[in-house]
């Protein structure tokens, strides 16, 4: 195919990615022997082709190469998953009883109001009165205590605790935090209190490069926090420079999301590019004749790698740093041209996946590469639509074309994960991205000089930034509740590819293929929408300490309780999947659904005798104290359901009562949301 001759590394990357994604779902130790076998076949095929110089065998050689890369991707991923390692602490721990674990802090502790969270590497585990060296990653949560404030990256401490398995999503279509952590090789979390917590060593170091990066990150965060900056200024500067975004206000994150500029707060290739521009500008001040290109390349590349270290080797930053290195190396030694940009992008993806194949499941990885594909392939086309001799107009149009190109290629991913589209992304990016560049310069100046006047400038700039961003913090700034499933994702990716192919080749068959794909997609979407609209359900959600019940029929959807603090995470994903964009909020104490009459506490259980006689399901909420006398009043009761608004003690007590009366018992805290469908 012509595309493989122009972008040869695509041929290498596709089978590798297919192997990696396959291994994430189908893991088998026999794949290793299969890889070796395919490798042997490949070597034999290469030797045979070289010896006989038979061109007809070229196709067989390519197939063998693809098979090898596919199997290599499977084996690479299998070995990258820590739980497959016999020395993993998950495979040694008793799980059912408390273990003594020796762990080492691998990142900066994140302090919340009541507890502190810290990522750790597992070093050893006491099993059967012997200390066994092991490997693995986890997250430790411990209550805030003065004596634990000395913990820093590299500190070693021992804790006695049970492994806590991470819960899967307990509500329909909820964010899968368990899978998210599993792709980071974290399968269990650890909880410790002061009685089972002992610091062993605060001087011990992590591997030298990682420790170096974390020390710089800690120093930057500490200097910013203990400064004249406001809380908002500190949190945003820390995110821009180090990727530490744990202290950014939730409303601020939402405002950036609605404006289409959330990528500014997530350390990414954008920040790497801005830092590269700053360093390049400073270098050119002293080397106006550009005589020291090699020295510039070495020094700036080294500083960019330090930045990657500080961010913990974030995949977008890794991609950007590797790309800058490859482009810079090619420009010096091989006169690298723009035609090789996509190949260089794919080479960086190959290197990153060799380093950690689990990055393939990282949304930041996907967004970063799809955005760069748009900048390399589509932006030049859009940029040529407008030509002007005015430098300001040209600069503005270049920025707008970059935003459109990146949005075009990342649209399938953003719709699939976020189900919303920011309407003002062009205008907001046009202001916020240049302002971010200025903020980075001023923030670095403050770190070096620590002058109050610079802190004042930073506070003013960030106050203006937030004032501008909050202009978009409303539902009118986005198209929300976009139903977009995996089939929609595949259709839209295919359509975008066909549009680009048609623009490039200008052939009738490509236009026809695009049109037919759009028609098939629309037919699929109409069928799915019609099917969903006929759905009816009652759902008692699992929300800690809060009761939330939704009822949907063909015409409307009603929710009994609303607060954005839990709605966005626990309920909205389900409403999007069920196309409940418009819903009313109304309290109720009973529900008639199909053949069921559902009664909700804590309203009077026996408000009318007819309800008591007919109720088949009882929703116990808000820690209502149910007694045997209450249950005996019901004539047709079949099931009792308790939700997250009940304490563990009350739920256990109700379960015992249900066992006494031989009623079905359902606890949303254990089993997830309770759903009745038509």
């Amino acid at each position: 195919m012509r595309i493989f001759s122009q972008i040869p590394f695509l041929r290498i990357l596709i089978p590798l990615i297919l192997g990696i994604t396959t291994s994430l779902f189908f893991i088998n130790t026999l794949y290793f022997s299969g890889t070796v076998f395919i490798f042997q076949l490949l070597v034999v095929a290469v030797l045979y082709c070289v010896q006989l110089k038979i061109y007809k065998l070229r196709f067989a050689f390519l197939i063998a190469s693809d098979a090898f890369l596919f199997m290599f991707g499977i084996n690479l991923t299998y070995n990258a998953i820590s739980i497959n390692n016999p020395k993993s602490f998950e495979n040694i721990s008793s799980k059912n009883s408390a273990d003594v674990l020796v762990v080492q802090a691998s990142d900066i502790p994140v302090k919340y109001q009541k507890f502190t969270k810290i990522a750790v590497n597992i070093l050893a585990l006491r099993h059967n009165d012997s200390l066994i060296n092991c490997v693995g990653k986890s997250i430790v949560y411990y209550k805030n205590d003065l004596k634990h404030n000395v913990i820093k990256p590299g500190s070693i401490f021992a804790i006695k605790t049970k492994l806590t398995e991470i819960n899967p999503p307990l509500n329909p279509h909820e964010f899968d935090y368990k899978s998210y952590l599993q792709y980071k090789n974290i399968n269990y979390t650890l909880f410790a209190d002061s009685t089972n917590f002992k610091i062993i060593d605060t001087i011990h170091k992590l591997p030298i490069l990682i420790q170096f990066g974390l020390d710089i990150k800690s120093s930057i965060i500490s200097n910013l926090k203990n400064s004249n900056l406001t809380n908002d200024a500190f949190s945003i500067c820390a995110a821009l420079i180090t990727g530490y975004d744990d202290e950014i206000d939730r409303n601020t994150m939402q405002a950036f999301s609605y404006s289409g500029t959330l990528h500014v707060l997530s350390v990414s290739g954008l920040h790497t590019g801005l830092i590269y521009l700053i360093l390049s500008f400073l270098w050119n001040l002293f080397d106006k004749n550009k005589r020291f290109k090699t020295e510039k390349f070495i020094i700036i590349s080294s500083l960019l790698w330090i930045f990657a270290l500080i961010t913990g080797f974030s995949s977008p930053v890794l991609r950007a740093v590797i790309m800058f290195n490859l482009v810079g190396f090619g420009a010096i030694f091989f006169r690298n041209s723009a035609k090789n940009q996509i190949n260089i992008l794919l080479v960086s993806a190959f290197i990153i996946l060799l380093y950690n194949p689990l990055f393939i499941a990282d949304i930041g990885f996907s967004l970063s590469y799809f955005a760069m594909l748009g900048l390399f392939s589509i932006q030049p086309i859009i940029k040529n639509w407008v030509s002007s001799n005015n430098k300001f107009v040209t600069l503005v149009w270049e920025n707008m074309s970059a935003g459109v190109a990146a949005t075009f290629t990342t649209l399938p991913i953003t719709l699939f994960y976020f189900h919303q589209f920011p309407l003002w992304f062009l205008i907001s990016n046009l202001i916020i991205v240049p302002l971010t560049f200025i903020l980075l310069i001023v923030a670095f100046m403050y770190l070096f000089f620590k002058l109050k006047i610079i802190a004042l400038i930073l506070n003013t700039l960030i106050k203006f930034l937030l004032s501008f961003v909050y202009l978009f913090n409303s539902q009118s700034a986005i198209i929300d509740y976009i139903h977009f499933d995996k089939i929609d994702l595949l259709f839209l990716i295919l359509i975008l590819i066909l549009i680009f192919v048609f623009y490039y080749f200008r052939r009738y068959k490509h236009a026809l293929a695009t049109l037919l794909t759009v028609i098939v997609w629309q037919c699929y979407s109409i069928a799915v929408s019609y099917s969903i609209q006929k759905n009816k359900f009652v759902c008692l959600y699992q929300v800690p300490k809060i009761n939330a019940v939704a009822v949907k029929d063909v015409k409307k959807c009603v929710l009994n309780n609303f607060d954005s603090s839990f709605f966005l995470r626990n309920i909205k994903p389900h409403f999007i999947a069920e196309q409940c964009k418009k819903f009313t909020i109304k309290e109720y104490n009973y529900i008639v659904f199909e053949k069921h009459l559902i009664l909700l506490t804590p309203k009077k259980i026996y408000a009318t005798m007819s309800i008591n006689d007919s109720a088949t399901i009882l929703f116990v909420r808000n820690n209502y104290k149910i007694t045997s006398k209450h249950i005996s009043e019901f004539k047709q009761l079949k099931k009792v359901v308790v939700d997250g608004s009940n304490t563990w003690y009350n739920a256990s007590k109700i379960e015992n009562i249900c066992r006494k009366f031989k009623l079905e018992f359902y606890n949303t805290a254990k089993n997830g949301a309770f759903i009745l469908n038509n």
Side-chain angles (χ1 to χ4, degrees), residues 11-26 66 69-74 77 353 360:
R11 178 80 193 219
I12 297 173
L13 197 60
I14 287 176
L16 180 71
I17 290 177
L18 289 175
I20 291 171
T21 52
T22 300
S23 186
L24 288 176
F25 298 100
F26 308 101
D66 292 340
L69 288 167
F70 177 77
M71 300 301 291
F72 177 72
I74 290 175
T77 308
L353 292 176
I360 198 72

Side-chain angles (χ1 to χ4, degrees), residues 31-75:
Y31 286 141
F32 177 76
S33 60
T35 305
V36 175
F37 177 70
I38 294 295
F39 179 76
Q40 291 171 337
L41 289 180
L42 178 61
V43 172
V44 171
V46 171
L47 292 174
Y48 191 77
C49 291
V50 171
Q51 182 182 358
L52 299 181
K53 298 181 180 179
I54 300 176
Y55 182 77
K56 292 181 181 179
L57 293 176
R58 178 175 174 270
F59 180 74
F61 169 73
L62 292 175
I63 294 297
S65 300
D66 292 340
F68 167 72
L69 288 167
F70 177 77
M71 300 301 291
F72 177 72
I74 290 175
N75 187 53

Side-chain angles (χ1 to χ4, degrees), residues 604-640:
K604 287 185 179 180
I605 284 189
Y606 29 88
T608 63
M609 191 56 68
S610 60
I611 291 181
N612 276 358
D613 290 341
S614 304
T616 57
I617 300 175
L618 177 65
F619 285 176
V620 183
R621 54 182 182 162
N622 300 327
N623 214 36
Y624 193 88
K625 309 300 181 184
I626 292 291
T627 64
S628 297
K629 181 181 178 182
H630 291 144
I631 297 298
S632 64
E633 297 288 335
F634 294 95
K635 307 302 181 184
Q636 300 184 38
L637 191 64
K638 304 292 183 183
K639 181 177 291 187
V640 177

Side-chain angles (χ1 to χ4, degrees), residues 195-209:
T195 59
N196 296 318
F197 193 112
K198 182 179 180 181
I199 298 173
I200 299 174
D201 187 359
T202 59
I203 303 175
H204 199 86
K205 301 293 184 182
L206 292 160
I208 185 167
L209 285 177

Side-chain angles (χ1 to χ4, degrees), residues 504-515:
Y504 187 78
F505 293 103
R506 302 296 178 94
R507 292 180 181 175
Y508 171 76
K509 63 179 182 180
H510 297 140
L512 182 61
T514 305
L515 181 61

Side-chain angles (χ1 to χ4, degrees), residues 124-382:
L125 182 148
R126 192 175 71 184
H127 184 69
N128 295 332
D129 296 327
S130 61
L131 198 63
I132 303 173
N133 293 331
C134 56
V135 296
K137 296 180 180 180
S138 186
I139 297 175
V140 174
Y141 296 89
Y142 58 87
K143 291 182 179 179
N144 292 333
D145 192 316
L146 185 61
K147 69 178 183 180
H148 297 150
N149 288 340
V150 296
I151 292 178
K152 56 186 178 181
S155 297
I156 296 177
F157 51 97
I159 55 174
K160 184 178 181 180
T161 183
K162 287 178 64 176
L163 303 188
T164 303
E165 191 169 356
I166 302 161
N167 289 327
L170 294 175
N171 293 299
H173 304 280
E174 192 176 51
F175 173 68
D176 192 347
Y177 186 61
K178 181 175 183 176
S179 294
Y180 170 78
L181 288 182
Q182 282 178 339
Y183 291 135
K184 296 180 180 294
N185 270 327
I186 297 173
N187 299 290
Y188 294 90
T189 53
L190 309 172
F191 294 86
D193 55 37
S194 57
T195 59
N196 296 318
F197 193 112
K198 182 179 180 181
I199 298 173
I200 299 174
D201 187 359
T202 59
I203 303 175
H204 199 86
K205 301 293 184 182
L206 292 160
I208 185 167
L209 285 177
I210 295 176
Q211 187 68 48
F212 176 66
L214 285 172
D215 285 345
I216 295 176
K217 182 177 181 178
S218 299
S219 177
I220 291 172
I221 293 173
S222 177
N223 286 331
L224 290 174
K225 198 164 193 174
N226 301 315
S227 66
N228 296 313
L229 298 178
T230 62
N231 290 335
D232 288 332
F234 155 70
S235 60
I236 289 176
C237 286
L240 291 176
I241 298 173
T242 69
Y244 180 81
D245 57 3
D246 294 271
E247 298 192 34
I248 297 178
D249 182 70
R250 182 181 295 177
N251 291 330
T252 300
M253 295 286 279
Q254 178 178 286
F256 274 93
S257 175
Y258 283 8
S259 67
T261 57
L262 188 59
H263 58 281
V264 168
L265 297 182
S266 303
V267 67
S268 64
L270 170 67
H271 302 78
T272 313
L274 294 176
I275 290 172
Y276 173 82
L277 290 175
I278 294 171
L279 294 173
S280 183
F281 171 75
L282 293 173
W283 182 274
N284 291 335
L285 291 177
F286 301 98
D287 184 26
K288 295 182 179 180
N289 297 323
K290 298 182 179 179
R291 292 184 299 174
F292 303 103
K293 291 183 179 179
T294 305
E295 290 81 358
K296 175 184 177 181
F297 169 72
I298 294 172
I299 292 174
I300 291 182
S301 294
S302 301
L303 292 173
L304 289 178
W305 278 110
I306 291 174
F307 175 64
L309 266 174
I310 293 170
T311 63
F313 286 125
S314 165
S315 59
V317 174
L318 267 181
R319 184 265 309 158
V321 172
I322 292 172
M323 275 197 60
F324 281 124
N325 278 260
L326 292 174
V327 171
F329 188 81
I332 293 172
F333 298 104
F334 300 104
R335 295 182 180 180
N336 188 37
S337 64
K339 295 180 181 179
N340 295 324
Q341 287 179 325
I342 293 180
N343 269 314
I344 291 173
L345 182 69
L346 298 180
V347 169
S348 70
F350 184 81
I351 294 172
I352 290 173
L353 292 176
L354 288 181
Y355 165 71
N356 184 0
L358 299 184
F359 273 150
I360 198 72
D362 186 348
I363 183 176
F365 179 89
S366 302
L367 286 172
S368 176
Y369 276 94
F370 273 78
M372 293 306 298
L373 281 173
L375 294 177
F376 289 157
S377 60
I378 297 176
Q379 189 201 10
I381 297 172
I382 300 174

